[in-house]
Amino acid sequence: MDKKTKAEVRIYGNDYTIVGSETEEYINKVCFTVDKKMREIAKNPILKPIKVSVLTAVNFCDVYYIGLM
């Protein structure tokens, strides 16, 4: 069984415990990237947090699918 790594992170002002098979450094890097993108999208003051979250997810899916092409 793979060793699990636990990392305490903060994304867009909320604390999370992320568990995965990657290193803590990698988990922190991914979470930092998500937080950074959410804060970039949230510069539009009319967006509520749920819309910021959805738009962030759409953005990352777009990047993912572009990478598959």
Side-chain angles (χ1 to χ4, degrees), residues 2-66:
D2 290 335
K3 180 182 176 230
K4 296 294 181 184
T5 303
K6 185 188 292 187
E8 303 292 329
V9 300
R10 180 174 283 254
I11 301 172
Y12 200 58
N14 296 290
D15 295 323
Y16 299 93
T17 300
I18 307 293
V19 179
S21 57
E22 300 294 336
T23 65
E24 185 174 356
E25 179 182 20
Y26 176 81
I27 293 170
N28 283 320
K29 182 178 180 179
V30 168
C31 293
F32 175 81
T33 302
V34 171
D35 180 72
K36 183 178 174 184
K37 179 56 72 177
M38 289 183 78
R39 291 179 187 285
E40 178 184 311
I41 290 171
K43 287 181 181 176
N44 182 336
I46 66 168
L47 294 177
K48 294 184 179 187
I50 189 67
K51 289 195 177 189
V52 171
S53 298
V54 170
L55 292 172
T56 300
V58 168
N59 182 277
F60 281 115
C61 282
D62 179 51
V63 170
Y64 174 79
Y65 282 117
I66 287 172

